[in-house]
Amino acid sequence: MADEVVLLDYWASMFGMRARVALAEKGVKYEYREEDLRNKIKSQLLLQMNPVHKKIPVLIHNGKPVSESLIIVQYIDEVWRDKAPLLPSEPYQKAHSRFWADFIDKKLYDACSKIWSTKGEEREAAKKDFIEILKQLEGQLGDKPYFEGEKFGFLDIALITFYCWFHAFETCGNFSIEAECPKLIAWAKRCMQRESVSRSLADEKKVYELVLGVQKMLGVE
Amino acid sequence: MATEDVVLLDCWASPYCMRVKIALEEKGIKYEERAEDLFGGKSELLLTSNPVYAKVPVLLHKGKPLCESSIIVGYIEETWASPPLLPSCPYARSQAKFWVDYVDKKLFDAGGNIWRTKGEAQEVAIKDFIEVLKQLEKVLGDKDFFGGDSFGFVDIITIAITSWFLAFEKFGNFKVEDHTPKLSAWINRCMQRKTVAKVIPDPEKIYEFVINLKKMMGME
């Protein structure tokens, strides 16, 4: 019986992109459905499939929904386990990856948003926080090609989707991420050579245009 | 039995620490509890084992540190297989993880807002807290446990926080049982388990702890 896989998503969401990368790594065919979040319109299907948080991404597998991007990636890894394992198999390594993915979720998004949604001193503070967080992650990467070692995996997926937003952060904040975290940028470029990543991430110029539009709405430049 | 070499950096009142202890007890793993004085001064071991957050719980297994309670419980589940705390089917596992995440994001903070506020703000906090409880009661349904017939991951993550419910109730002047009787029944059912009863402290002591905490924070 063929699997029916639908992804409710938004083109610019770094969380939605995580699911796209994971599905691509596993070679899973799926139907992509765009939610019109820019105009704050949520479809009936989204409200039905994620009544608790009403957020994307939602993976609908044979009619059954899975929400929260990191939970979705783990689910994809467990269901399609014959190809491209994403999480380490060893429990300590797995816990380590989950810890740092959780760190990204707790810290990175808020720091990022403040860079483009605030001005003046608040923006400078946000830039400082953002770089500190990236440096901590760069420390975890060390000299390894990927976060978990030789193979691209869960923690790489958790972070790489933010990469297409870097151009917007740099331009709004007037700084260079590469100057601060060269090893991390080298890692990002390495990941972008994977088709699963380059095809799943949004175009950074379009992301920047989106940010400009939202800034206008918020009255921030 | 060989020593598993498990050390837990702990604070008796922390529901996050209680979760880890219950999981270890369920798996029958012997561990050493090392109390951290979170107000007096954190130990060198805590600061070096959890440099990112400097928080308890930290589990040290053969010297290697694990942090963040839900992640620690996941590690315990995967390291010591029996009895299983998560179902084996990937979909059921994803749903369990979703509710663990929900409880983590919502329950303790909602309760915390009750003792941290007064007047109208407190009324709103109580309303929000009860909404979270009603959501959880819905998920529980007519099952004995969140895990179904057997006590599992979601039960462990949630029951630890219920140790603070008496404090929330006293500060907010309301009773959980009046709003979510099925959830209260589930609490009592869990408290009958040896592992849970051994770990969960007397809720009256938690209430006193919160009174002292408020004094220390300069709140009336």
Side-chain angles (χ1 to χ4, degrees):
Chain A
M1 187 185 79
D3 273 319
E4 197 195 74
V5 183
V6 176
L7 181 68
L8 304 184
D9 199 350
Y10 175 63
W11 69 273
S13 162
M14 54 281 263
F15 303 104
M17 287 173 218
R18 288 167 169 175
R20 286 178 239 166
V21 174
L23 288 164
E25 283 285 315
K26 300 285 189 178
V28 175
K29 286 203 184 350
Y30 65 99
E31 180 194 337
Y32 176 94
R33 280 199 215 175
E34 180 80 358
E35 289 287 323
D36 187 8
L37 296 189
R38 186 77 170 83
N39 293 310
K40 299 201 161 96
I41 299 170
K42 293 183 179 181
S43 71
Q44 265 313 301
L45 186 62
L46 174 59
L47 298 174
Q48 198 190 331
M49 292 285 147
N50 190 359
V52 176
H53 300 305
K54 304 178 176 61
K55 285 183 178 178
I56 57 94
V58 181
L59 186 80
I60 311 172
H61 185 204
N62 295 329
K64 299 199 308 195
V66 183
S67 306
E68 295 300 301
S69 63
L70 294 180
I71 294 175
I72 293 173
V73 173
Q74 290 177 80
Y75 174 77
I76 290 167
D77 199 34
E78 285 178 21
V79 171
W80 291 279
R81 58 178 182 274
D82 295 334
K83 190 181 172 191
L86 301 175
L87 273 115
S89 50
E90 199 270 316
Y92 189 80
Q93 289 305 317
K94 207 184 267 194
H96 182 265
S97 289
R98 283 180 175 147
F99 175 87
W100 286 102
D102 177 68
F103 173 83
I104 291 166
D105 272 3
K106 280 184 163 97
K107 304 268 186 179
L108 195 57
Y109 185 74
D110 283 347
C112 295
S113 342
K114 287 198 175 128
I115 295 175
W116 57 262
S117 66
T118 63
K119 298 194 276 200
E121 261 184 55
E122 237 191 302
R123 175 177 282 174
E124 290 308 305
K127 274 161 63 177
K128 200 163 157 277
D129 284 342
F130 175 70
I131 292 295
E132 249 177 67
I133 292 164
L134 287 190
K135 284 195 162 154
Q136 274 184 291
L137 292 165
E138 197 180 48
Q140 285 305 304
L141 178 67
D143 289 314
K144 307 193 295 296
Y146 300 105
F147 275 94
E148 285 147 10
E150 297 299 315
K151 285 204 201 144
F152 179 79
F154 182 74
L155 191 47
D156 302 292
I157 295 177
L159 184 58
I160 192 57
T161 58
F162 283 78
Y163 182 60
C164 57
W165 281 71
F166 280 12
H167 170 64
F169 303 149
E170 286 176 317
T171 315
C172 293
N174 191 28
F175 68 118
S176 158
I177 297 173
E178 189 162 14
E180 304 277 355
C181 305
K183 277 186 168 170
L184 201 67
I185 296 300
W187 159 84
K189 291 179 175 165
R190 190 177 301 124
C191 292
M192 286 297 285
Q193 284 171 12
R194 297 178 82 78
E195 228 182 279
S196 63
V197 176
S198 59
R199 284 197 176 192
S200 302
L201 263 54
D203 179 307
E204 63 180 20
K205 293 194 178 67
K206 292 206 167 94
V207 170
Y208 179 53
E209 273 171 45
L210 172 71
V211 168
L212 286 179
V214 180
Q215 280 186 323
K216 244 192 210 148
M217 240 174 48
L218 295 176
V220 179
E221 347 91 21
Chain B
M1 190 182 81
T3 319
E4 290 287 356
D5 195 5
V6 178
V7 175
L8 178 69
L9 304 184
D10 178 51
C11 165
W12 71 272
S14 158
Y16 302 104
C17 295
M18 289 172 216
R19 291 165 165 183
V20 176
K21 285 184 268 191
I22 294 171
L24 290 166
E25 295 286 342
E26 285 284 320
K27 300 284 189 177
I29 302 300
K30 287 208 185 334
Y31 60 98
E32 179 197 336
E33 255 177 70
R34 280 196 212 167
E36 283 286 330
D37 179 6
L38 299 182
F39 308 109
K42 297 176 179 179
S43 72
E44 257 313 294
L45 185 58
L46 174 58
L47 297 174
T48 50
S49 310
N50 191 356
V52 176
Y53 301 113
K55 282 184 178 178
V56 290
V58 177
L59 190 78
L60 292 142
H61 184 203
K62 297 185 166 69
K64 296 194 333 186
L66 292 119
C67 310
E68 294 300 290
S69 61
S70 300
I71 293 174
I72 298 173
V73 176
Y75 173 80
I76 291 168
E77 165 67 354
E78 285 164 13
T79 304
W80 295 285
S82 181
L85 302 173
L86 277 173
S88 51
C89 142
Y91 188 73
R93 291 161 73 84
S94 77
Q95 298 309 290
K97 285 175 189 171
F98 177 87
W99 291 110
V100 163
D101 179 68
Y102 177 83
V103 169
D104 269 352
K105 282 186 168 112
K106 303 264 185 185
L107 189 56
F108 196 58
D109 283 350
N113 287 337
I114 296 174
W115 62 262
R116 285 193 173 96
T117 56
K118 287 195 280 201
E120 256 187 65
Q122 195 185 54
E123 290 304 316
V124 172
I126 295 168
K127 198 168 156 279
D128 287 345
F129 177 71
I130 289 169
E131 254 179 64
V132 175
L133 293 188
K134 288 197 156 147
Q135 175 67 259
L136 290 172
E137 199 179 49
K138 209 169 135 192
V139 177
L140 179 67
D142 289 316
K143 305 193 296 290
D144 278 349
F145 300 106
F146 283 96
D149 290 330
S150 42
F151 183 78
F153 206 107
V154 182
D155 301 282
I156 293 176
I157 294 305
T158 313
I159 195 63
I161 299 181
T162 68
S163 62
W164 282 58
F165 279 14
L166 182 71
F168 303 154
E169 284 173 327
K170 283 196 169 180
F171 279 106
N173 192 27
F174 72 104
K175 282 212 172 289
V176 167
E177 198 177 15
D178 292 342
H179 300 273
T180 49
K182 278 187 169 172
L183 198 68
S184 294
W186 164 81
I187 295 173
N188 293 332
R189 197 176 300 125
C190 290
M191 289 303 294
Q192 281 167 24
R193 287 181 85 75
K194 258 170 52 185
T195 54
V196 177
K198 184 177 177 191
V199 168
I200 302 281
D202 179 358
E204 288 287 355
K205 293 216 161 79
I206 297 284
Y207 176 54
E208 274 168 38
F209 177 84
V210 179
I211 291 176
N212 285 331
L213 193 59
K214 283 186 77 163
K215 265 193 201 135
M216 261 177 30
M217 285 164 72
M219 298 168 69
E220 294 157 13

